[in-house]
Amino acid sequence: MRVVFGLTLVCMLTGCGADPTSAGAASGRYALDRAEYARRLIAERLESKPAEAELDGIRAACVARARALMLDLELRPDGAFLARFMDGEQEQRLAGQWEQDGALVSFHTTQAPDGRVTTMASVYATYGSDGLEFKRDTTGFSVPHGFLLRRRE
């Protein structure tokens, strides 16, 4: 009986067997999956049915675009988030609060490089075994294509 109680207590404290979509399960550090991002760009460009001769150029341009981007995100257990986005030489940092309801993770930006944010819409992602999925047209902000942030730790 004591062994069962002890194991139960250890699991409660360490989170073993916890539902991966439970509140706060998404906390951690994430980074843009550049290879996946390049694949999505390529797939989007191929929808326009380019000529055979353009395929290598499309692939090279999409891979170069993905390599030029960097997106790091930290979701702290206390509900704060920090995001750092670099596109070539330009860098942007955002901060705010995040919360999780099942698989849905919402971000409420409160600080941007120029100071406090009062009008930025909330942003949404889906949390799963692959990481944080920001889907096209459902994130809360306009992105031309979705992207995936994978857990770094």
mmCIF file with all atom_site columns, all heavy atoms in Angstrom, residues 6-18:
data_model
loop_
_atom_site.group_PDB
_atom_site.id
_atom_site.type_symbol
_atom_site.label_atom_id
_atom_site.label_alt_id
_atom_site.label_comp_id
_atom_site.label_asym_id
_atom_site.label_entity_id
_atom_site.label_seq_id
_atom_site.pdbx_PDB_ins_code
_atom_site.Cartn_x
_atom_site.Cartn_y
_atom_site.Cartn_z
_atom_site.occupancy
_atom_site.B_iso_or_equiv
_atom_site.pdbx_formal_charge
_atom_site.auth_seq_id
_atom_site.auth_comp_id
_atom_site.auth_asym_id
_atom_site.auth_atom_id
_atom_site.pdbx_PDB_model_num
ATOM 1  N N   . GLY A 1 6  ? 3.273  5.919  -2.610  1.00 0.00 ? 6  GLY A N   1
ATOM 2  C CA  . GLY A 1 6  ? 4.528  6.602  -2.954  1.00 0.00 ? 6  GLY A CA  1
ATOM 3  C C   . GLY A 1 6  ? 4.646  6.841  -4.445  1.00 0.00 ? 6  GLY A C   1
ATOM 4  O O   . GLY A 1 6  ? 5.022  7.925  -4.893  1.00 0.00 ? 6  GLY A O   1
ATOM 5  N N   . LEU A 1 7  ? 4.327  5.834  -5.251  1.00 0.00 ? 7  LEU A N   1
ATOM 6  C CA  . LEU A 1 7  ? 4.381  5.984  -6.708  1.00 0.00 ? 7  LEU A CA  1
ATOM 7  C C   . LEU A 1 7  ? 3.362  7.008  -7.190  1.00 0.00 ? 7  LEU A C   1
ATOM 8  O O   . LEU A 1 7  ? 3.638  7.803  -8.088  1.00 0.00 ? 7  LEU A O   1
ATOM 9  C CB  . LEU A 1 7  ? 4.151  4.640  -7.392  1.00 0.00 ? 7  LEU A CB  1
ATOM 10 C CG  . LEU A 1 7  ? 5.290  3.642  -7.280  1.00 0.00 ? 7  LEU A CG  1
ATOM 11 C CD1 . LEU A 1 7  ? 4.885  2.305  -7.886  1.00 0.00 ? 7  LEU A CD1 1
ATOM 12 C CD2 . LEU A 1 7  ? 6.548  4.171  -7.953  1.00 0.00 ? 7  LEU A CD2 1
ATOM 13 N N   . THR A 1 8  ? 2.186  6.995  -6.588  1.00 0.00 ? 8  THR A N   1
ATOM 14 C CA  . THR A 1 8  ? 1.165  7.970  -6.958  1.00 0.00 ? 8  THR A CA  1
ATOM 15 C C   . THR A 1 8  ? 1.635  9.383  -6.646  1.00 0.00 ? 8  THR A C   1
ATOM 16 O O   . THR A 1 8  ? 1.478  10.297 -7.456  1.00 0.00 ? 8  THR A O   1
ATOM 17 C CB  . THR A 1 8  ? -0.159 7.677  -6.219  1.00 0.00 ? 8  THR A CB  1
ATOM 18 O OG1 . THR A 1 8  ? -0.564 6.357  -6.533  1.00 0.00 ? 8  THR A OG1 1
ATOM 19 C CG2 . THR A 1 8  ? -1.238 8.669  -6.611  1.00 0.00 ? 8  THR A CG2 1
ATOM 20 N N   . LEU A 1 9  ? 2.229  9.576  -5.492  1.00 0.00 ? 9  LEU A N   1
ATOM 21 C CA  . LEU A 1 9  ? 2.736  10.882 -5.104  1.00 0.00 ? 9  LEU A CA  1
ATOM 22 C C   . LEU A 1 9  ? 3.842  11.348 -6.044  1.00 0.00 ? 9  LEU A C   1
ATOM 23 O O   . LEU A 1 9  ? 3.856  12.495 -6.500  1.00 0.00 ? 9  LEU A O   1
ATOM 24 C CB  . LEU A 1 9  ? 3.242  10.856 -3.660  1.00 0.00 ? 9  LEU A CB  1
ATOM 25 C CG  . LEU A 1 9  ? 3.768  12.179 -3.108  1.00 0.00 ? 9  LEU A CG  1
ATOM 26 C CD1 . LEU A 1 9  ? 2.658  13.225 -3.130  1.00 0.00 ? 9  LEU A CD1 1
ATOM 27 C CD2 . LEU A 1 9  ? 4.301  11.995 -1.709  1.00 0.00 ? 9  LEU A CD2 1
ATOM 28 N N   . VAL A 1 10 ? 4.765  10.444 -6.391  1.00 0.00 ? 10 VAL A N   1
ATOM 29 C CA  . VAL A 1 10 ? 5.851  10.791 -7.322  1.00 0.00 ? 10 VAL A CA  1
ATOM 30 C C   . VAL A 1 10 ? 5.266  11.206 -8.672  1.00 0.00 ? 10 VAL A C   1
ATOM 31 O O   . VAL A 1 10 ? 5.680  12.195 -9.265  1.00 0.00 ? 10 VAL A O   1
ATOM 32 C CB  . VAL A 1 10 ? 6.850  9.625  -7.476  1.00 0.00 ? 10 VAL A CB  1
ATOM 33 C CG1 . VAL A 1 10 ? 7.795  9.863  -8.644  1.00 0.00 ? 10 VAL A CG1 1
ATOM 34 C CG2 . VAL A 1 10 ? 7.624  9.425  -6.190  1.00 0.00 ? 10 VAL A CG2 1
ATOM 35 N N   . CYS A 1 11 ? 4.287  10.474 -9.166  1.00 0.00 ? 11 CYS A N   1
ATOM 36 C CA  . CYS A 1 11 ? 3.674  10.818 -10.452 1.00 0.00 ? 11 CYS A CA  1
ATOM 37 C C   . CYS A 1 11 ? 2.958  12.160 -10.387 1.00 0.00 ? 11 CYS A C   1
ATOM 38 O O   . CYS A 1 11 ? 3.013  12.939 -11.329 1.00 0.00 ? 11 CYS A O   1
ATOM 39 C CB  . CYS A 1 11 ? 2.694  9.725  -10.892 1.00 0.00 ? 11 CYS A CB  1
ATOM 40 S SG  . CYS A 1 11 ? 3.500  8.351  -11.703 1.00 0.00 ? 11 CYS A SG  1
ATOM 41 N N   . MET A 1 12 ? 2.301  12.445 -9.268  1.00 0.00 ? 12 MET A N   1
ATOM 42 C CA  . MET A 1 12 ? 1.626  13.729 -9.142  1.00 0.00 ? 12 MET A CA  1
ATOM 43 C C   . MET A 1 12 ? 2.633  14.873 -9.157  1.00 0.00 ? 12 MET A C   1
ATOM 44 O O   . MET A 1 12 ? 2.394  15.916 -9.761  1.00 0.00 ? 12 MET A O   1
ATOM 45 C CB  . MET A 1 12 ? 0.811  13.772 -7.849  1.00 0.00 ? 12 MET A CB  1
ATOM 46 C CG  . MET A 1 12 ? -0.441 12.917 -7.895  1.00 0.00 ? 12 MET A CG  1
ATOM 47 S SD  . MET A 1 12 ? -1.273 12.792 -6.301  1.00 0.00 ? 12 MET A SD  1
ATOM 48 C CE  . MET A 1 12 ? -1.489 14.492 -5.849  1.00 0.00 ? 12 MET A CE  1
ATOM 49 N N   . LEU A 1 13 ? 3.779  14.676 -8.519  1.00 0.00 ? 13 LEU A N   1
ATOM 50 C CA  . LEU A 1 13 ? 4.774  15.742 -8.438  1.00 0.00 ? 13 LEU A CA  1
ATOM 51 C C   . LEU A 1 13 ? 5.561  15.915 -9.733  1.00 0.00 ? 13 LEU A C   1
ATOM 52 O O   . LEU A 1 13 ? 5.963  17.018 -10.079 1.00 0.00 ? 13 LEU A O   1
ATOM 53 C CB  . LEU A 1 13 ? 5.742  15.478 -7.281  1.00 0.00 ? 13 LEU A CB  1
ATOM 54 C CG  . LEU A 1 13 ? 5.121  15.548 -5.884  1.00 0.00 ? 13 LEU A CG  1
ATOM 55 C CD1 . LEU A 1 13 ? 6.135  15.119 -4.838  1.00 0.00 ? 13 LEU A CD1 1
ATOM 56 C CD2 . LEU A 1 13 ? 4.606  16.940 -5.595  1.00 0.00 ? 13 LEU A CD2 1
ATOM 57 N N   . THR A 1 14 ? 5.801  14.836 -10.459 1.00 0.00 ? 14 THR A N   1
ATOM 58 C CA  . THR A 1 14 ? 6.624  14.915 -11.663 1.00 0.00 ? 14 THR A CA  1
ATOM 59 C C   . THR A 1 14 ? 5.809  15.020 -12.943 1.00 0.00 ? 14 THR A C   1
ATOM 60 O O   . THR A 1 14 ? 6.351  15.308 -13.997 1.00 0.00 ? 14 THR A O   1
ATOM 61 C CB  . THR A 1 14 ? 7.555  13.695 -11.780 1.00 0.00 ? 14 THR A CB  1
ATOM 62 O OG1 . THR A 1 14 ? 6.749  12.506 -11.880 1.00 0.00 ? 14 THR A OG1 1
ATOM 63 C CG2 . THR A 1 14 ? 8.486  13.601 -10.588 1.00 0.00 ? 14 THR A CG2 1
ATOM 64 N N   . GLY A 1 15 ? 4.505  14.762 -12.882 1.00 0.00 ? 15 GLY A N   1
ATOM 65 C CA  . GLY A 1 15 ? 3.668  14.880 -14.075 1.00 0.00 ? 15 GLY A CA  1
ATOM 66 C C   . GLY A 1 15 ? 3.647  13.644 -14.934 1.00 0.00 ? 15 GLY A C   1
ATOM 67 O O   . GLY A 1 15 ? 3.168  13.684 -16.054 1.00 0.00 ? 15 GLY A O   1
ATOM 68 N N   . CYS A 1 16 ? 4.163  12.517 -14.463 1.00 0.00 ? 16 CYS A N   1
ATOM 69 C CA  . CYS A 1 16 ? 4.130  11.321 -15.307 1.00 0.00 ? 16 CYS A CA  1
ATOM 70 C C   . CYS A 1 16 ? 2.685  10.931 -15.553 1.00 0.00 ? 16 CYS A C   1
ATOM 71 O O   . CYS A 1 16 ? 1.839  11.018 -14.675 1.00 0.00 ? 16 CYS A O   1
ATOM 72 C CB  . CYS A 1 16 ? 4.930  10.175 -14.692 1.00 0.00 ? 16 CYS A CB  1
ATOM 73 S SG  . CYS A 1 16 ? 4.271  9.494  -13.176 1.00 0.00 ? 16 CYS A SG  1
ATOM 74 N N   . GLY A 1 17 ? 2.410  10.542 -16.778 1.00 0.00 ? 17 GLY A N   1
ATOM 75 C CA  . GLY A 1 17 ? 1.064  10.175 -17.149 1.00 0.00 ? 17 GLY A CA  1
ATOM 76 C C   . GLY A 1 17 ? 0.148  11.369 -17.344 1.00 0.00 ? 17 GLY A C   1
ATOM 77 O O   . GLY A 1 17 ? -1.046 11.212 -17.533 1.00 0.00 ? 17 GLY A O   1
ATOM 78 N N   . ALA A 1 18 ? 0.682  12.577 -17.287 1.00 0.00 ? 18 ALA A N   1
ATOM 79 C CA  . ALA A 1 18 ? -0.153 13.778 -17.430 1.00 0.00 ? 18 ALA A CA  1
ATOM 80 C C   . ALA A 1 18 ? -0.642 13.926 -18.855 1.00 0.00 ? 18 ALA A C   1
ATOM 81 O O   . ALA A 1 18 ? 0.030  13.540 -19.803 1.00 0.00 ? 18 ALA A O   1
ATOM 82 C CB  . ALA A 1 18 ? 0.647  15.013 -17.031 1.00 0.00 ? 18 ALA A CB  1
#
